Amino acid sequence: MADQQDVTRRDFIRITGGAALSTGFLSKFAGAAHAQLDPAKKVRVGIVGGGFGAAFQWHLDPNCTVAAVSDLRSDRLDHLKNVYKCDKGYESLEKLVLDPDIDAVAVFTGAPDHVRHVVEVMNHGKHCICAVPAGMTLEEMQLLKETKERTGLKYMMAETSYYRTPTMLARELWADEKFGNFLYSEVEYYHNAIGMERDALYFWNGKPTWRYGYPPMLYPTHATCFHVGVTGERLTSVSCLGWGDDDQALQDNVYDAPFCNQAALFETSGGNICRGNVFWRVHAGGERAQWLGEKMSMYMAGYGGRPFNVSAADQPGIAAPPDYLHLLPEPMRIPTGHGNSHGFLTHEFIAALVEEREPAVDVYEAIAMTAPGIVAMESSRRDGERLKVPSFDRT
Ligand SMILES: NC(=O)c1ccc[n+]([C@@H]2O[C@H](COP(=O)([O-])OP(=O)(O)OC[C@H]3O[C@@H](n4cnc5c(N)ncnc54)[C@H](O)[C@@H]3O)[C@@H](O)[C@H]2O)c1
């Protein structure tokens, strides 16, 4: 996937052709992890899922101890033990959650298991960070919200788009009201699953995995996060078109889903417009957004050689986003996956628990990024009928 090029904070304040934004501007950053925490405070984390779940920095966070790891597969259990330098392994999440010496669990199992697994974790009194998406049905969204509110525990969704550096910059610019009154965003996630990679994703040991024929709009958060995670707005209605052909995986998948590409048009709670695409079959790749405002527009770099750019009516553009690594504890200031987002996701969850506050992508933000895709899927099934997205926010 096309990650943004790394740049330094100095590059950020090197504004093209004129007055610089002040460094104080950076301090307005919303949703940042904190660099300085009491080192005596340790969160004991259990990690489940040795695929993507092995790609985080729990072992580097000064406020985190990896207490145990788990995967149903012994090869992946061994991998987790090696990566996180942890000897304690459990054969399943269901066994791991019984361990009284664990405060929080990182759930990196397949998407159809997320809500069931998060509920299992929280019902055992442990905080939870879970991979995207938050869930797959509106009923699951309600159960997730109720479980979080009933238990009072912390929940975070590990949405990588939230901590891509252009997203962090866009969040600052939005908070500083730089875009003006009107904002139109184009947000997208393209993963061209073809050839060998597709086989590896779709089958394991000759059997279909949860990814076989998985519908794009039930995996919307890498895209929707670029609008919801920048503005805090909600996507309140949607009309979505789907595309599919006679591919076998679109005929016999367990989701009864005939689409591999879906394009949605969302209305937002702020009276703005968001166009969101998720495509599995397209000659393009990666997560990308562009935000077109009344006074300022910002374009992420991406596939096809498109460069980063910010243009503004009443001030010079910004040359490049900063890397923001100074916001992390020193041992975590390293390149990580998905545009360096993994280190921020890791530390934000730990920092939230140490500081006894809600994490950046809490249950309400997570559902606000996930539920619009669930409704978009239904809209596609109804040939683009415009449908309301229900709210799961605090009442
Ligand atoms: N950019 C991103 O945010 C990003 C990228 C890749 C994957 N993901 C998400 O991360 C999650 C994991 O992705 P993946 O590619 O590793 O999926 P995967 O299906 O390859 O791996 C899931 C793992 O969970 C294990 N597991 C399932 N149930 C378990 C249980 N009860 N106890 C212990 N282990 C259990 C499985 O054995 C498997 O190894 C998915 O939800 C995916 O959507 C997100």
Side-chain angles (χ1 to χ4, degrees), residues 48-53 70-73 76 90-94 107-111 113-114 116-117 131-133 158-160 201 209-211 219 222 287 338 342:
V48 183
F52 187 54
S70 173
D71 200 294
L72 302 175
R73 283 170 51 178
R76 287 191 158 181
Y90 287 103
E91 65 194 34
S92 72
L93 173 142
E94 290 74 8
V107 174
F108 287 88
T109 56
D113 294 326
H114 286 170
R116 184 166 57 86
H117 284 162
V132 305
E159 175 45 65
T160 45
L201 290 171
T209 68
W210 63 269
R211 282 196 164 92
Y219 207 94
H222 294 339
E287 301 94 318
H338 294 87
H342 294 195

Side-chain angles (χ1 to χ4, degrees), residues 87-320:
D87 292 336
K88 199 194 250 185
Y90 287 103
E91 65 194 34
S92 72
L93 173 142
E94 290 74 8
K95 294 265 171 63
L96 180 141
V97 296
L98 302 176
D99 188 331
D101 295 326
I102 291 176
D103 305 310
V105 179
V107 174
F108 287 88
T109 56
D113 294 326
H114 286 170
V115 171
R116 184 166 57 86
H117 284 162
V118 170
V119 168
E120 182 78 1
V121 166
M122 292 183 126
N123 280 346
H124 283 84
K126 298 172 196 320
H127 307 287
C128 191
I129 181 170
C130 183
V132 305
M136 293 180 54
T137 64
L138 296 180
E139 291 72 25
E140 281 194 335
M141 298 296 94
Q142 185 63 26
L143 177 59
L144 182 62
K145 172 182 149 92
E146 282 171 9
T147 304
K148 189 269 175 297
E149 291 178 348
R150 172 173 53 79
T151 62
L153 294 159
K154 311 286 188 231
Y155 167 90
M156 179 171 173
M157 186 174 77
E159 175 45 65
T160 45
S161 289
Y162 190 84
Y163 282 120
R164 284 183 173 275
T165 53
T167 318
M168 294 164 88
L169 176 59
R171 192 153 51 238
E172 289 195 276
L173 294 169
W174 172 266
D176 217 38
E177 300 180 352
K178 297 286 184 193
F179 287 105
N181 269 334
F182 170 71
L183 185 73
Y184 164 72
S185 67
E186 295 183 347
V187 302
E188 52 213 27
Y189 173 38
Y190 298 149
H191 191 140
N192 198 18
I194 54 169
M196 295 291 286
E197 188 197 12
R198 172 183 155 124
D199 285 352
L201 290 171
Y202 275 26
F203 300 98
W204 189 69
N205 268 355
K207 292 194 181 135
T209 68
W210 63 269
R211 282 196 164 92
Y212 182 83
Y214 191 96
M217 274 296 158
L218 294 191
Y219 207 94
T221 61
H222 294 339
T224 53
C225 171
F226 286 130
H227 194 100
V228 174
V230 164
T231 63
E233 291 184 348
R234 300 306 189 230
L235 306 176
T236 53
S237 78
V238 59
S239 171
C240 184
L241 298 181
W243 181 89
D245 57 11
D246 58 0
D247 182 271
Q248 188 63 31
L250 300 180
Q251 315 305 317
D252 61 358
N253 65 72
V254 294
Y255 311 104
D256 189 25
F259 311 120
C260 57
N261 297 338
Q262 288 178 278
L265 196 60
F266 298 101
E267 173 188 21
T268 84
S269 56
N272 290 311
I273 299 166
C274 168
R275 190 274 281 146
N277 294 349
V278 184
F279 295 171
W280 300 155
R281 201 121 51 86
V282 64
H283 189 69
E287 301 94 318
R288 184 178 174 275
Q290 48 196 39
W291 298 268
L292 278 63
E294 179 191 12
K295 294 183 181 162
M296 174 180 273
S297 294
M298 177 170 154
Y299 306 82
M300 277 175 69
Y303 45 84
R306 281 180 286 185
F308 174 86
N309 188 40
V310 176
S311 63
D314 59 356
Q315 66 176 72
I318 298 168

